[in-house]
Amino acid sequence: MDTSGFAEWVGRFEDERERRRVQGDPDWERGAVLHPAVRSSVQRFQVGEDGDGSNLIAKADRAGNPDYARAVRLFVAEEQNHARLLAHLLAAGGAPVLNGHWSDRAFVRLRRLMGLRVELLVLMVAEVVALRYYRALRDGAGDPLASDVAGRILADEQRHVPFHCERLHASLARLPRPLRRPVMSLWRLLLLAASLVVAADHGPALRRLGLGRRRFVADVMASSRTVVSAVLTPRTAARSGTRPGTRSGKA
C-alpha cells in the first residue's frame, strides 16, 4: 500500500496549525446574537466536535504507518479546536455547552464497532454532513462572530474530507474489486439516514439559516458523489483533480 502521501498530510496539518497561531482567535468580546433555534443546534454540534479521539488514534497507531498516525493526531487536534471555538461562540451568545446528546453517543458507539476502516467510514458521514451545516451557518447565521467561527471550521472540514478519502482508498484497495463499490453504496445509505436524522433534529435551525430540511439532505447527498469517486479512484488520478469536499463546501 502506497502511504507516502500521509507525510504530505502531516505537513499540511502543521502548516495550518501555524497559520491558526498567527491568525489568532476571533474577537470574542464583540459577542454574538444567535436565534434560539440556531443556538440549540450549535450546542448539539459542539458536543459532536468535543472528544479526545483516543479510539481513532489507537487504531491509527495499529495501522503501522507513523506518518498517518501523526496526521490523525493533528486531525483530532483540529476537531478539538472546533469544539473550543463553538464553546466560545456559545459563551459569547450567553449560552452554555451541553454535557452530552443522544445523537453523539449513538454516533460514537457506531464508530467504535469494528476496525479503522469502519470507523473512518462512519466518521466520513459526520464530516460530509458538517460541510453543508457549517456552510449554512456561515452564510445564514446573520451574526458576524458566528459566520467567522463557522467559516474557520468549514475550511478545516474541506481539508479533512480528502484526507480521510485518501486513507479509505488505501483501505478499500485491500478488498476484492467487486466489493468496493457496494461498500460505498452502503456508506451512502448510512449518510442518507444520518442526514435525515440531522434534518429532523435541526429543522428549525436549518429553516432559520435559509436552507430547509429537504435541500439540506439533497445537498449532502449530491456532495457524496465526489467523495465516492475520490475513495474509488487511484490516488494519483484523484490528486490531479479537485480535492473532495472543496467544491461542495463553497458552492
Side-chain angles (χ1 to χ4, degrees), residues 30-36 38-39 89 92-94 141-146:
R30 65 184 171 183
V33 178
L34 301 175
H35 184 273
V38 175
R39 182 176 63 236
L89 173 61
D143 177 82
L145 184 59

Side-chain angles (χ1 to χ4, degrees), residues 101-111:
H101 191 262
W102 69 265
S103 59
D104 180 61
R105 289 191 292 270
F107 178 75
V108 170
R109 289 193 184 102
L110 184 60
R111 277 176 50 190

Side-chain angles (χ1 to χ4, degrees), residues 54-66:
S54 58
N55 195 62
L56 176 60
I57 289 171
K59 291 177 181 177
D61 286 342
R62 290 196 295 271
N65 181 349

Side-chain angles (χ1 to χ4, degrees), residues 13-72:
F13 278 116
E14 289 178 341
D15 288 347
E16 183 60 23
R17 181 179 60 187
E18 177 62 15
R19 190 199 63 79
R20 286 196 304 271
R21 186 191 67 79
V22 173
Q23 180 186 30
D25 265 9
D27 181 8
W28 305 118
E29 296 301 320
R30 65 184 171 183
V33 178
L34 301 175
H35 184 273
V38 175
R39 182 176 63 236
S40 177
S41 177
V42 170
Q43 284 176 313
R44 279 169 277 171
F45 263 81
Q46 194 277 335
V47 172
E49 299 279 7
D50 194 18
D52 61 10
S54 58
N55 195 62
L56 176 60
I57 289 171
K59 291 177 181 177
D61 286 342
R62 290 196 295 271
N65 181 349
D67 289 329
Y68 178 66
R70 173 63 177 160
V72 165

Side-chain angles (χ1 to χ4, degrees), residues 34 38 130-155 158 205-211 215 219 246-251:
L34 301 175
V38 175
L131 281 175
R132 191 61 186 97
Y133 177 80
Y134 287 119
R135 177 155 58 99
L137 185 62
R138 180 196 65 185
D139 297 342
D143 177 82
L145 184 59
S147 295
D148 184 3
V149 170
R152 293 176 187 228
I153 296 174
L154 178 62
Q158 288 169 340
L206 294 174
R207 286 195 298 272
R208 183 71 186 183
L209 296 173
L211 189 56
R215 185 180 167 193
D219 286 356
T246 302
R247 189 176 300 278
S248 65
K250 292 184 177 179

Side-chain angles (χ1 to χ4, degrees), residues 16 20 25-26 28 46 49-51 74-88 149 152-153 156:
E16 183 60 23
R20 286 196 304 271
D25 265 9
W28 305 118
Q46 194 277 335
E49 299 279 7
D50 194 18
L74 292 165
F75 157 74
V76 169
E78 287 193 356
E79 292 291 304
Q80 291 171 337
N81 186 55
H82 296 172
R84 183 186 69 86
L85 289 172
L86 292 174
H88 280 297
V149 170
R152 293 176 187 228
I153 296 174
D156 287 344

Side-chain angles (χ1 to χ4, degrees), residues 165-209:
C165 282
E166 187 161 325
R167 183 60 180 81
L168 280 169
H169 171 75
S171 180
L172 263 65
R174 298 178 174 181
L175 296 177
R177 186 177 296 274
L179 292 180
R180 298 172 194 171
R181 192 166 293 277
V183 166
M184 294 309 297
S185 295
L186 289 173
W187 175 80
R188 289 193 80 221
L189 286 176
L190 180 60
L191 177 66
L192 175 60
S195 62
L196 288 170
V197 170
V198 172
D201 199 29
H202 297 259
L206 294 174
R207 286 195 298 272
R208 183 71 186 183
L209 296 173

